Amino acid sequence: MTVKPADGDKILRDNFAPWVLDLGLTVEAVGDRSATLRLPWSDRLAREGGGLSGQALMAAADTATVIAVAGARGGFVPMTTVQLNTTFQRPVKDRDVLVEVRITKLGRTLAFADVTMTAEGQDEPAAHATTVYAILG
């Protein structure tokens, strides 16, 4: 089965906690080993000084990995985060963030991904993450 953006949005609605859904993430694209989600700007996600909080970016990277793995597997399967490493490179203010995931290795029980988070309209990433997921189903 090919996972389309509407399928990814349904995966979000059906499998994530309400506080994750409150981020307002939407699925822009899903490929065989990739996904792009949009994290919309919200003052509610800003920290002191007006920049988007690191916690929101990390949650977006973590969530987007699930969608990318679902795309690579042909649908959602139970999975859980094993590792998430994030570096923050520049602040994001008043802009949506595009969260682009590329699966670097998909095994039977583990998936590894590279995540780039870029403020819309910018060339340089705001943050970068690597994730490892255990595939449970």
Side-chain angles (χ1 to χ4, degrees), residues 34-118:
S34 64
T36 301
L37 276 65
R38 177 179 296 271
L39 174 62
W41 171 261
S42 169
D43 288 333
R44 292 185 64 214
L45 301 178
R47 57 182 295 284
E48 183 180 330
L52 188 65
S53 74
Q55 294 94 331
L57 288 168
M58 290 175 71
D62 194 48
T63 304
T65 300
V66 172
I67 303 303
V69 172
R73 296 282 308 246
F76 178 80
V77 294
M79 62 188 93
T80 190
T81 310
V82 173
Q83 184 173 323
L84 170 63
N85 292 318
T86 308
T87 57
F88 304 99
Q89 299 171 352
R90 57 190 40 81
V92 175
K93 291 187 178 185
D94 299 317
R95 293 177 185 261
D96 290 359
V97 175
L98 295 176
V99 183
E100 298 176 303
V101 181
R102 183 177 55 85
I103 302 292
T104 58
K105 181 178 186 326
L106 180 63
R108 190 174 47 78
T109 59
L110 290 175
F112 298 79
D114 191 69
V115 186
T116 303
M117 293 161 274
T118 307

